[in-house]
């Protein structure tokens, strides 16, 4: 309701720009507002404590989940998912994060010690963001190194045959001695294909032939070898063969207007999707050169052309010895195109048209993230209209030119930087410190007008000798740029250099070579709204179906119970007419174990009742890998120091060698693999049954204290009804019916089992143990475990189709970042080296009303400098980013 009120207030402001008779704009603005209300969208950014890691460490992170239209903290989604994805597009770790009491999301992703080294991707999203597509998710690359693997260097050579096969040569070198390694055998795996082996030749080269499938989405070979008790594991990316590149051309406003000067932007990419430097010329149909061009930044550039009606133009592009021709769009005489210029903090907008044709009735509309900021009929008597650039929020504004029937005839993206995000004042009590000395700092958030700004932020302090600070991306570029545009953007932080003319020019090229990524605006302005199909995730959820009978039909009105003894939780629901059930409005930590059981109205399950549980669904991985460049030299230095620090904190790493299968026994010290297994109050073992020569179960129960047997009547602790019987996870109902009393039904269930097939009988009396059975366990339970395999006299006919054990993904419990305190003489003199790479990390710092937060941390042992990165959000939606390089000196 609050958001709707804001939108309605905005409409009131826009109305002042609209003439009362202008029905076209009123309808368009109304449609835009309805779309925001019908399909509110989320943006997401994730900051990490550093940019690369070693196996065994944790990736600490803070997640900023924001409302896309206001940039304020979003409150609709309860959970955010963070995934670590390996180079062959498999999720190796997924965590589910819920907000803390102040609605902040943060956590950590543990890195397995057995992970092969390589470039990995962090991906983060909410389930609701799946409505917007994978392009709306956050993604970031991180290098993960394995200290063992870092002792081995490798050389590669890829030769591409004409039939598509890749002749691959690999050789391994000892990092210390620089000697060539001759392993007896190495294991290789192409993408997710089966593994195969290779042997080196006399020169140490392993030569194999690789054949990548045409529909493969990755180009990676995994290599594993053992050398001197070290295990080398590495993902190696296979390059693309040198071949054709691609250049796309984008006339400003979408059309090349005949008889007028038009700016044409272009973007050149290689066949792997990375930007490419090209130069070239434009020729007409006679082959005459009209103009020449060259890339300006990251494969982008532009040229100006005065095209003639009916003429045909081509661009000839050169990259090294590669030359390609591309057709340019045809000059248009029957349409118009927007032109914009940003100069002296002014935005000028003009309509470019073919002179002999009069300007049609047009309407200008500008929106920011779907919020309309300007709407008015175009005044054809003016050459251009002028805006003060500060009128628009920082980021991307979408300029639209509409016809009288609300058709978009031209559009243009404009990138503006104003003084409307938060600033940071960072102070320490001095500039230089000694080792293990406390650094007291004061941080204040302020506006561009130097006013206090209340908000929250994360802070990372890292060692400059070991960590290269990521200067290519941050919360500003992530929220204001990457989340708004289609396609890959290399070094997005580059464009946030206000006052740098080269960066501002490159940003304008970026606007003209990438499309807007959010709502389908052409449909929205005409009233064809889009709606989400996946709701906001408000709680944990377990759902499924129950089928019953020999024909496996939908089971209606079956009781389905959900129990977790670990969490002390019990819930029950009934299936609907389609046999479906759902549990929600609950949440428990990850690894919480549940038991789900389905019973009919008579309390029976058995072989004819089948319980099905829906798996949690997660988005597939489709985005193309374009890996960043990482300083290898700095990375190797980091690996050595980080490995020592890890050993000091956690001890020697335990590396899992290739799997050895051991035949396991079913039973160990009276503990059984059963969803109902709990420590019993009493037990009758297989050995005891043989020792006393029991001929039936009733005889055996006579020995148990607290169990009374009178003829065919059995009670536990003088219960009113016979106890529940559970045979190998199958709950046997004792309910009366079909001419049987509860006691008769109890005896019938007992007689199903031959006593010589029993491995153990457990008696459950304790209320905590019985809670798993709900009301059916009120009179106690007799849990029978039968022998398995060759030890049974006959196959067990009872299978537990109606009961399942389930361990869904739960939320992550808080994981604290280790930050030592040297506040005693003993800790100051501790001989254990402090080699931390991340000196301090805190993801959830809140300021007071004056925008101030104070914090302290201790320096480590190495003489170096520290860099500080702060990312945050103010209460009113201002983004905050601060990077202080070599800010603190440690002597």
């Amino acid at each position: 309701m609050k958001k709707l009120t804001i939108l309605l207030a905005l409409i009131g402001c826009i109305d002042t720009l609209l003439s009362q008779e202008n029905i076209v704009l009123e309808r368009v603005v109304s449609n835009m507002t309805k779309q925001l209300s019908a399909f509110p969208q989320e943006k997401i950014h994730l900051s990490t404590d550093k940019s690369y890691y070693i196996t065994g460490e944790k990736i600490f992170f803070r997640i900023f989940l924001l409302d896309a239209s206001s940039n304020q903290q979003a409150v609709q989604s309860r959970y955010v998912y963070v995934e670590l994805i390996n180079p062959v597009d498999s999720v190796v770790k997924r965590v589910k994060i819920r907000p803390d009491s102040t609605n902040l999301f943060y956590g950590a992703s543990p890195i397995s010690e057995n992970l092969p080294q390589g470039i990995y991707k962090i991906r983060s999203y909410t389930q609701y963001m799946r409505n917007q597509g994978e392009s709306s998710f956050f993604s970031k690359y991180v290098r993960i190194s394995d200290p063992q693997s870092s002792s081995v260097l490798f050389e590669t050579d890829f030769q591409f045959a004409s039939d598509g096969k890749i002749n691959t040569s690999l050789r391994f070198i000892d990092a210390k001695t620089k000697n060539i390694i001759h392993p007896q055998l190495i294991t290789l795996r192409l993408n997710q294909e089966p593994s195969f082996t290779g042997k080196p030749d006399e020169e140490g080269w392993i030569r194999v032939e690789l054949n990548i499938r045409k529909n493969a989405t990755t180009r990676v070979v995994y290599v594993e070898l053992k050398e001197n008790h070290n295990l080398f594991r590495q993902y190696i990316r296979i390059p693309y063969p040198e071949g054709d590149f691609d250049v796309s051309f984008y006339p400003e406003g979408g059309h090349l207007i005949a008889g007028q000067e038009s700016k044409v932007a272009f973007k050149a990419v290689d066949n792997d999707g990375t930007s490419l430097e090209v130069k070239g010329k434009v020729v007409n149909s006679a082959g005459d050169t009209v103009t020449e061009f060259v890339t300006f930044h990251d494969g982008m550039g532009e040229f100006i052309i005065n095209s003639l009606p009916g003429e045909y133009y081509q661009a000839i592009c050169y990259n090294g010895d590669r030359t390609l021709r591309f057709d340019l769009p045809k000059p248009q005489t029957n349409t118009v195109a927007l032109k914009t210029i940003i100069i002296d903090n002014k935005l000028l907008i003009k309509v470019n048209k073919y002179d002999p044709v009069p300007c049609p009735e047009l309407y200008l509309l500008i929106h920011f993230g779907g919020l309309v900021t300007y709407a008015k009929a175009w005044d054809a008597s003016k050459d251009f209209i002028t805006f003060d650039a500060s009128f628009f929020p920082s980021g991307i504004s979408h300029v639209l030119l509409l016809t009288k029937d609300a058709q978009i005839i031209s559009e243009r993206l404009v990138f503006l930087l104003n003084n409307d995000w938060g600033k940071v004042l960072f102070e320490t009590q001095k500039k230089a410190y000694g080792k293990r000395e406390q650094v007291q700092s004061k941080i204040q958030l302020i506006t561009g007008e130097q006013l206090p700004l209340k908000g929250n932020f994360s802070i990372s302090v890292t060692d400059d000798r070991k960590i290269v600070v990521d200067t290519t991306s941050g919360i500003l570029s992530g929220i204001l740029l990457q989340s708004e545009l289609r396609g890959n953007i290399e070094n997005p932080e580059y464009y946030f250099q206000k006052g740098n003319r080269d960066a501002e020019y490159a940003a304008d090229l970026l606007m003209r070579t990438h499309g807007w990524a959010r709502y389908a605006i052409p449909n929205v302005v005409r009233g064809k709204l889009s709606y989400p199909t996946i709701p906001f995730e408000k709680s944990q959820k377990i759902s499924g179906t129950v089928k019953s009978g020999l024909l496996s039909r939908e089971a209606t009105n079956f009781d389905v119970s959900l129990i977790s003894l670990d969490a002390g939780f019990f819930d029950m629901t009934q299936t609907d007419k389609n046999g479906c059930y759902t549990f929600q409005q609950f949440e428990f930590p990850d690894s919480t174990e549940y038991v789900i059981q389905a019973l009919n109205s008579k309390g029976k399950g058995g072989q004819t009742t089948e319980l099905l549980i829906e798996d949690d669904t997660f988005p597939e991985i489709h985005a193309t890998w374009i890996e960043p460049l990482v300083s290898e030299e700095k990375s190797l230095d980091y690996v050595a120091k980080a490995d020592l620090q890890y050993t000091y904190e956690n001890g020697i790493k335990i590396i899992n060698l290739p799997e050895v299968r051991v035949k396991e026994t079913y039973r160990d010290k009276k503990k059984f693999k059963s969803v109902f297994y709990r420590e019993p109050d009493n037990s009758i073992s297989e050995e005891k049954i043989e020792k006393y020569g029991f001929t039936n179960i009733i005889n055996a129960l006579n020995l148990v204290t607290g169990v009374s047997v009178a003829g065919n009547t059995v009670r536990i602790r003088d219960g009113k009804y016979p106890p529940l019987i559970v045979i190998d996870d199958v709950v046997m109902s004792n309910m009366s019916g079909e001419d049987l009393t509860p006691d008769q039904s109890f005896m019938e269930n007992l007689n199903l089992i031959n006593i010589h097939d029993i491995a153990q009988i457990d008696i459950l009396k304790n209320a905590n143990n019985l809670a798993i059975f709900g009301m059916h366990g009120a009179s106690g339970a007799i849990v029978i475990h039968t022998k398995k395999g060759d030890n049974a006299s006959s196959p067990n006919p009872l299978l537990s189709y109606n009961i399942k054990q389930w361990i869904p993904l739960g939320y992550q419990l808080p994981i604290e970042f280790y930050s030592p305190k040297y506040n005693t003489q003993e800790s100051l003199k501790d001989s254990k080296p402090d080699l931390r790479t991340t000196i301090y990390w805190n993801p959830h710092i809140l300021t007071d009303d004056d925008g101030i937060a104070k914090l302290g941390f201790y320096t480590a042992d190495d003489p170096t400098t520290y860099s500080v990165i702060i990312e945050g959000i103010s209460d009113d939606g201002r983004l905050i980013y601060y990077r202080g390089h070599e800010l603190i000196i440690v002597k």
Side-chain angles (χ1 to χ4, degrees), residues 120-299:
Y120 288 71
K121 182 191 292 184
I122 299 174
R123 186 174 77 161
S124 185
Y125 57 90
T126 66
Q127 291 286 0
Y128 181 78
M129 291 180 72
R130 296 171 66 182
N131 294 298
Q132 303 161 221
E134 188 181 6
S135 62
S136 67
F137 299 174
F138 172 87
S139 64
K140 175 181 180 176
Y141 294 101
V142 293
R143 175 182 288 277
I144 297 177
S145 298
D146 176 18
Q148 282 201 91
S149 297
S150 296
S151 64
V152 178
L153 305 177
F154 64 90
E155 298 177 337
T156 59
D157 180 65
F158 298 98
Q159 298 295 326
F160 301 93
S162 58
D163 59 359
K165 294 180 180 178
I166 306 170
N167 295 314
T168 304
S169 301
L170 302 99
R171 186 164 65 174
F172 302 92
I173 301 169
D174 188 293
K176 290 182 179 180
T177 66
K178 306 304 180 184
N179 294 329
I180 296 173
I181 298 173
H182 290 77
Q184 290 186 348
L185 199 68
I186 70 165
T187 301
L188 302 101
R189 184 173 64 247
L190 175 63
N191 294 329
Q192 298 187 31
E193 303 286 339
S195 300
F196 58 97
T197 58
K199 292 184 178 181
D201 59 20
E202 292 181 356
E203 296 179 343
W205 288 102
I206 295 94
R207 306 183 192 275
V208 295
E209 185 181 83
L210 303 178
N211 190 7
I212 299 178
R213 296 175 185 267
K214 289 185 179 180
N215 59 350
T217 57
T218 57
R219 298 172 62 87
V220 176
V221 60
Y222 167 73
V223 180
E224 178 181 303
L225 67 89
K226 296 178 187 176
E227 179 66 19
N228 295 330
H229 305 292
N230 286 334
L231 187 61
F232 172 87
R233 291 172 295 193
Q234 170 90 36
Y235 285 111
I236 299 174
R237 190 158 295 278
I238 302 171
Y240 283 82
E242 187 175 274
D244 291 346
F245 56 92
D246 184 62
V247 184
S248 299
F249 296 88
Y250 305 91
E252 186 175 20
H255 306 292
L256 193 62
I257 303 300
Q260 298 289 330
E261 280 194 349
S262 298
K263 292 192 292 186
V264 179
F266 63 87
K267 171 76 173 182
V269 295
D270 214 336
N271 53 12
D272 62 354
T274 58
S275 63
L276 192 68
E277 303 304 307
V278 300
K279 60 182 179 180
K281 60 183 180 180
V282 176
V283 297
N284 59 20
S285 57
D288 299 326
T289 297
V290 177
T291 188
E292 295 180 345
F293 58 85
V294 65
T295 50
F296 177 77
H297 178 78
D298 283 348

Side-chain angles (χ1 to χ4, degrees), residues 450-462:
Q450 306 297 305
L451 298 175
L453 196 58
K454 186 179 181 182
N456 63 83
F457 60 88
S458 67
I459 181 171
S460 173
V461 182
T462 54

Side-chain angles (χ1 to χ4, degrees), residues 682-724:
N682 302 94
S683 291
I684 305 171
S685 66
E686 175 186 354
E687 292 77 15
K688 190 175 288 187
I689 291 172
E690 293 177 356
K691 177 180 179 181
Y692 290 97
F694 296 127
T695 57
N696 58 58
I697 299 174
I698 293 294
N699 296 150
L701 292 175
N702 264 315
L703 283 183
V704 180
T705 303
V707 177
S708 60
V709 179
N712 288 334
T713 301
V714 177
R715 296 290 185 271
I716 293 178
R717 288 183 175 173
D718 300 322
K720 184 177 180 181
Y721 296 102
L724 187 69

Side-chain angles (χ1 to χ4, degrees), residues 34-49:
K34 289 177 182 177
Q35 179 63 87
L36 284 177
S37 180
F39 189 179
Q41 295 192 357
E42 296 173 328
K43 290 184 179 182
I44 193 167
H45 175 74
L46 182 145
S47 58
T48 57
D49 63 312

